[in-house]
């Protein structure tokens, strides 16, 4: 499971006790006023009776802002791969809901802080950028912090009466590392990370994601709500219509949904007999991952870890989508392809996997953007979910339950839907 990298909860929780972080009951009531309770309860009905989310869930700006706090900042948000920060002094600024985090590596491991100077609030590092230095320096007035967040230098404050550097350390974030990914929690009160993961850790273990190397990355900006992207990811009902290449290597009707006991949803699909992996020809340009047995090497597994990481486990590589919700109708997506170190040599060509999924991604993005436009129409109403949209139903139910309860509601006992009815 995930290992805790920062344990001083008294420091972490102080901003929450002081009322500076989190959502209030009134904020929840105000944001959810655009939704009818009955429309959300219909999302929680059994599969075959359940419906999609109401249109406001994809389009309302006020609701989107509430999601930033309640769904993103109050949960464990994926900030990327820890391999981006391998040396002591490596620094990276990443969006964390409506906040920005700065993640650094020091001698003790990974740390994360709010990306805010304690002097005048200037960002320490521009969001999306990286740096390397033995200290964190604010570019505005030159305040300098150690990699542990402690204030080391404040120009012209040496003679200021009552100024105590120890009172002006950076505000830390809870941070965890799992399978080579970094996760942070802005609110300070998310459930323990192991509870967030549940059994997903065991389901992904044989793919050894922590040892894989990112050899390709594509960045996309999709004119669609982040939930539409995840809903589309979880069903192949649409595949015969828009993914001819995919349907030549795997059957849209194959596989099973895995029961979830954490903040995730997902399941498997089977490869056709002639296909070794997901590629245009079905041929692999790499190697089967070393711990996969004969059964797992014939399947592709698709999991979404709430709220922003999609993990696609193939026999010979792993593809991920890390989502950043930037507006009700816009999502920034960082797509990476990870391969085992045995094949990551100078002459290895990952394009057999990259080209296949770049084509498939773009087909999906076009569909998601069309759905986004449709949900904004006065003609839109909640639609029925078919029996083949099980994991999409599980995700939608998690969203609807989160709206109703004002917080992230992971699946419990493997059945989120019946547990909330």
């Amino acid at each position: 499971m995930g290992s805790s990298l920062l344990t001083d909860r008294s420091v972490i929780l102080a901003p929450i006790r002081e009322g500076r972080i989190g959502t209030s009951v009134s904020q929840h009531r105000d944001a959810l006023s655009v939704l009818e309770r009955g429309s959300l309860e219909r999302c929680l009905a059994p599969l075959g009776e359940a419906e999609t989310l109401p249109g406001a869930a994809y389009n309302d700006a006020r609701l989107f802002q509430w999601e930033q706090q309640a769904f993103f900042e109050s949960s464990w948000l994926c900030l990327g791969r820890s391999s981006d920060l391998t040396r002591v002094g490596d620094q990276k600024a990443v969006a964390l809901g409506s906040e920005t985090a700065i993640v650094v590596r020091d001698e003790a491991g990974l740390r994360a802080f709010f990306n805010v100077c304690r002097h005048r609030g200037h960002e320490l590092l521009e969001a999306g950028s990286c740096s390397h230095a033995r200290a964190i320096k604010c570019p505005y007035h030159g305040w300098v912090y150690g990699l542990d967040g402690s204030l080391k230098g404040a120009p012209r404050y040496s003679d200021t009466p009552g100024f105590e550097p120890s009172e002006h350390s950076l505000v830390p974030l809870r941070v965890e590392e799992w399978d080579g990914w970094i996760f942070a929690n802005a609110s300070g009160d998310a459930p323990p990370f192991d509870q967030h993961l549940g059994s997903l850790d065991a389901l992904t273990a044989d793919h050894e994601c922590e040892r894989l190397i990112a050899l390709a990355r594509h960045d996309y900006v999709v004119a669609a709500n982040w939930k539409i992207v995840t809903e589309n990811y979880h069903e192949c009902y649409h595949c015969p219509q828009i993914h001819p290449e995919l349907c030549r290597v795997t059957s849209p009707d194959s596989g099973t949904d895995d029961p979830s006991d954490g903040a995730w949803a997902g399941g498997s699909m089977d490869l056709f007999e002639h296909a070794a992996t997901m590629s245009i020809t079905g041929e692999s340009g790499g190697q089967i991952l070393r711990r996969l047995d004969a059964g797992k090497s014939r399947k592709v597994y698709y999991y979404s870890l709430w709220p922003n990481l999609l993990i696609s486990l193939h026999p010979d590589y792993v593809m991920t989508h890390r989502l950043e919700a930037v507006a009700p109708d816009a999502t920034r997506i960082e797509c990476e392809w990870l391969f085992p170190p045995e094949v990551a040599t100078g002459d290895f060509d990952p394009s057999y996997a990259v080209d296949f999924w770049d084509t498939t991604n773009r087909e999906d993005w076009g569909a998601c953007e069309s759905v986004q436009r449709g949900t904004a129409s006065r003609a839109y109403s909640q639609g029925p979910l078919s029996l083949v949209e099980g994991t999409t139903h599980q995700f939608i139910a998690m969203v609807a339950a989160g709206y109703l309860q004002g917080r992230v509601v992971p699946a419990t006992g493997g059945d989120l839907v019946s547990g909330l009815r």
Side-chain angles (χ1 to χ4, degrees):
M1 291 289 186
S3 58
S4 179
L5 300 174
L6 186 61
T7 57
D8 188 353
R9 289 187 58 78
S10 65
V11 175
I12 299 167
L13 294 177
I16 297 141
R17 285 196 294 268
E18 295 164 12
R20 291 188 279 117
I21 298 175
T23 61
S24 67
V25 173
S26 61
Q27 286 173 315
H28 178 223
R29 184 169 54 246
D30 183 56
L32 273 293
S33 64
V34 298
L35 301 172
E36 295 180 359
R37 183 178 182 87
S39 69
L40 298 176
E41 291 177 340
R42 289 196 292 275
C43 300
L44 299 172
L47 189 61
E49 301 174 22
E51 296 181 352
T52 58
L53 291 165
Y58 307 111
N59 294 280
D60 187 79
R62 186 171 48 181
L63 187 59
F64 175 79
Q65 290 302 317
W66 180 85
E67 287 180 349
Q68 292 285 295
Q69 296 182 12
F71 285 174
F72 286 82
E73 296 163 23
S74 296
S75 186
W76 289 101
L77 199 69
C78 180
L79 303 185
R81 294 289 286 177
S82 57
S83 57
D84 293 340
L85 301 157
T86 58
R87 303 171 297 168
V88 171
D90 281 350
Q91 307 172 21
K92 180 180 180 181
V94 189
L96 183 64
S98 61
E99 301 279 358
T100 307
I102 181 168
V103 188
V104 304
R105 184 176 292 279
D106 68 2
E107 289 80 359
L110 289 174
R111 296 179 183 268
F113 308 94
F114 285 94
N115 187 30
V116 177
C117 180
R118 295 301 305 279
H119 174 224
R120 294 270 293 280
H122 197 284
E123 293 175 316
L124 301 162
L125 195 62
E126 184 179 354
S129 62
C130 300
S131 180
H132 176 80
R134 297 296 297 187
I136 303 168
K137 185 176 181 180
C138 178
Y140 194 21
H141 295 100
W143 280 35
V144 177
Y145 303 87
L147 297 177
D148 63 354
S150 61
L151 181 61
K152 300 297 186 182
R156 303 182 185 181
Y157 271 80
S158 58
D159 298 327
T160 301
F163 180 76
E164 293 292 341
S166 61
E167 297 177 358
H168 301 280
S169 298
L170 298 179
V171 178
L173 292 158
R174 294 168 71 194
V175 62
E176 298 275 354
E177 183 177 1
W178 170 71
D179 262 10
W181 290 289
I182 305 168
F183 298 83
N185 167 231
S187 67
D189 61 354
F193 189 69
D194 286 357
Q195 181 179 331
H196 184 75
L197 273 181
S199 58
L200 184 61
D201 185 64
L203 292 171
T204 63
D206 287 340
H207 287 78
E208 297 185 291
C209 296
E210 72 281 353
R211 72 184 293 267
L212 304 185
I213 300 171
L215 296 182
R217 169 176 160 177
H218 284 184
D219 293 332
Y220 307 93
V221 177
V222 183
N225 186 274
W226 67 278
K227 297 184 294 296
I228 289 175
V229 173
T230 302
E231 291 169 17
N232 173 84
Y233 173 81
H234 272 311
E235 53 93 353
C236 214
Y237 186 25
H238 68 274
C239 291
Q241 276 61 244
I242 69 170
H243 295 318
E245 296 87 1
L246 184 147
C247 290
R248 285 196 286 266
V249 292
T250 188
S251 170
D253 299 322
S254 66
T256 57
D257 297 339
D258 291 325
S260 174
D261 60 355
W264 61 271
S268 65
M269 291 178 65
D270 299 331
L271 292 165
F272 282 131
E273 186 175 348
H274 75 275
T277 192
M278 304 289 278
S279 68
I280 297 295
T281 65
E283 298 175 328
S284 172
Q287 296 180 16
I288 300 296
L289 300 179
R290 65 183 186 179
R291 281 179 50 179
L292 299 188
D293 60 25
K296 288 185 176 179
S297 67
R298 300 300 308 153
K299 294 179 180 292
V300 181
Y301 300 86
Y302 301 92
Y303 298 111
S304 67
L305 180 56
W306 180 275
N308 74 321
L309 182 63
L310 313 180
I311 308 171
S312 305
L313 307 169
H314 299 70
D316 52 341
Y317 63 92
V318 171
M319 178 186 65
T320 61
H321 298 85
R322 190 176 68 85
L323 312 184
E324 180 186 337
V326 296
D329 58 354
T331 305
R332 186 175 294 115
I333 302 176
E334 177 185 285
C335 185
E336 290 191 307
W337 288 263
L338 313 175
F339 295 85
E342 300 87 68
V343 304
T345 61
D347 59 351
F348 175 69
D349 183 3
S351 63
Y352 76 95
V354 176
D355 292 350
F356 174 86
W357 277 112
D358 182 51
T359 297
T360 305
N361 282 339
R362 294 178 187 279
E363 292 165 347
D364 278 328
W365 307 156
C368 290
E369 291 176 345
S370 180
V371 171
Q372 179 68 42
R373 293 189 292 270
T375 62
S377 169
R378 69 187 68 187
Y380 175 81
S381 61
Q382 292 174 260
L385 287 168
S386 73
L387 295 176
V388 298
E389 296 173 280
T391 46
T392 299
H393 176 224
Q394 189 171 26
F395 172 74
I396 286 174
M398 196 180 301
V399 173
Y403 287 154
L404 289 169
Q405 307 233 350
R407 58 182 176 85
V408 179
V409 182
T412 56
D415 192 351
L416 169 71
V417 177
S418 64
L420 287 171
R421 284 178 58 78

